[in-house]
Amino acid sequence: LLDALDDAWLTVEREVEVTGLAVDPDGVRVEAQEASGTVTTLHARYVIGADGAHSIVRHALDLRFEGAPYPQNFLLGDVAVDWPLDHDRFRVFVHADRIGLYFPLDGTGLSRVMATDLRAHPDEHAAPELTLAELESAFAEAACLPVPLSRPEWMTRFRSHHRVVDRYRVGPVFVAGDAAHIHSPAGGQGMNTGLQDAANLAWKLVSVLRGGASEALLDSYGSERLPVAQEVLRFTDRIFNAAAGQVGWRAWLRDALAPMLVGPASALDVVQDRAFRRFAQIDIAYPPNPAVAELPRGPAPRPGERAPNAQ
């Protein structure tokens, strides 16, 4: 990505922190501070706040970010995993109150593992530092087999939230990615949703700046992407609660039913096909709006719908 930006004569400036912004008649005024303490004022016609879950741009716009944290805490680490299973596939383990995830990190000799943290930490910011032994024990309990872990490169405790903004645009300022929506990592929907935000907004900005399109086109960014983010939150909430939000007999029932529903031997092809399309986010369609014409339905996809796969 950085190489592609260099090819486009764009430079990422490191150690420069945006400290505030204000909208004026000529566009947007952004205050930024360098690591040396030097304060710089930037003027732009448009600003995109793609600055993550703790977005300074979102706070400056006073956008609502409604939602809440999930009750569960998690342990996460990039480590070397020694077990009899292969290191090629993503795996999910559910066992009673524990859930474990395994993500292979190709070419590194390491894997990312995650497990439910069953210890109570009233103040998540004051929780004790995660040890390799604690991560190993929790992950092994979820996987129901010994899993020696070693070579920890990075470990942390974390709590996931589910939140979404009330608007994607305030005048010439936009939010995208985690600045606009955060949710459970269940289903791996976060990066896709953020990249779709960027792709949706980018061509519209280019059309206005270089193609003579009306500014009204930019309103379609929020009308198209906000409903998608809201649906992603609802979907990941359901997955998360089904997988990690169960205890007691409900957890036992989940453990018994999960292999039948999502396992490789499942006969429920229709369920798996629909789940695949949902996870892959290939069923997203945009309704008629300033960017999408309204045409009668015919044999071909209408504007705003996904084109079918070519042969």
Side-chain angles (χ1 to χ4, degrees):
L1 177 59
L2 291 175
D3 289 343
L5 290 171
D6 284 339
D7 291 342
W9 298 92
L10 297 170
T11 302
V12 176
E13 297 189 31
R14 302 290 187 183
E15 298 185 331
V16 179
E17 179 185 10
V18 172
T19 55
L21 60 84
V23 177
D24 59 34
D26 298 323
V28 191
R29 187 178 70 256
V30 180
E31 302 291 336
Q33 182 171 322
E34 300 177 20
S36 63
T38 302
V39 176
T40 304
T41 300
L42 308 173
H43 294 273
R45 182 167 171 186
Y46 298 106
V47 165
I48 304 171
D51 49 340
H54 301 287
S55 170
I56 294 170
V57 173
R58 185 185 67 242
H59 286 295
L61 296 175
D62 199 27
L63 293 177
R64 294 201 304 271
F65 202 41
E66 296 178 341
Y70 290 102
Q72 295 89 347
N73 293 323
F74 291 92
L75 313 175
L76 183 68
D78 290 351
V79 296
V81 177
D82 180 15
W83 64 1
L85 305 177
D86 66 63
H87 293 78
D88 301 325
R89 286 177 285 183
F90 164 66
R91 295 177 183 272
V92 180
F93 302 95
V94 288
H95 174 61
D97 294 349
R98 291 280 195 192
I99 182 170
L101 301 179
Y102 171 83
F103 307 87
L105 301 177
D106 290 343
T108 66
L110 300 175
S111 304
R112 178 161 296 172
V113 300
M114 188 175 90
T116 316
D117 183 4
L118 298 184
R119 296 175 61 183
H121 307 294
D123 182 357
E124 58 183 298
H125 300 292
E129 185 174 346
L130 176 60
T131 65
L132 184 64
E134 184 180 359
L135 178 62
E136 180 178 277
S137 174
F139 186 69
E141 184 176 336
C144 294
L145 78 163
V147 186
L149 305 179
S150 61
R151 295 169 48 207
E153 183 171 288
W154 174 77
M155 298 189 302
T156 188
R157 301 179 192 273
F158 78 95
R159 171 173 284 188
S160 186
H161 292 240
H162 52 111
R163 300 183 187 277
V164 66
V165 294
D166 56 326
R167 291 174 292 165
Y168 265 47
R169 178 188 185 188
V170 178
V173 186
F174 307 85
V175 289
D178 285 3
H181 43 76
I182 56 174
H183 47 81
S184 158
Q189 306 288 286
M191 184 176 288
N192 277 356
T193 307
L195 291 173
Q196 290 167 14
D197 290 344
N200 187 291
L201 179 57
W203 74 264
K204 294 172 182 177
L205 282 172
V206 171
S207 298
V208 171
L209 291 169
R210 299 180 183 174
S214 167
E215 281 232 354
L217 175 65
L218 300 177
D219 289 332
S220 67
Y221 169 58
S223 67
E224 290 181 350
R225 294 305 303 163
L226 182 56
V228 171
Q230 291 168 334
E231 177 56 29
V232 167
L233 258 70
R234 286 191 289 268
F235 179 52
T236 55
D237 268 359
R238 290 196 292 269
I239 299 173
F240 183 88
N241 289 328
Q246 308 300 323
V247 296
W249 69 267
R250 289 185 175 87
W252 177 87
L253 185 62
R254 174 208 61 199
D255 294 352
L257 293 178
M260 292 185 285
L261 293 174
V262 300
S266 172
L268 301 178
D269 292 338
V270 174
V271 173
Q272 293 207 12
D273 181 65
R274 290 189 62 183
F276 169 78
R277 298 184 67 85
R278 194 69 174 273
F279 280 117
Q281 297 184 322
I282 59 176
D283 281 341
I284 292 172
Y286 298 129
N289 62 54
V292 176
E294 184 168 13
L295 298 177
R297 179 169 290 282
R302 290 185 294 182
E305 296 180 343
R306 182 181 179 89
N309 291 335
Q311 294 297 319

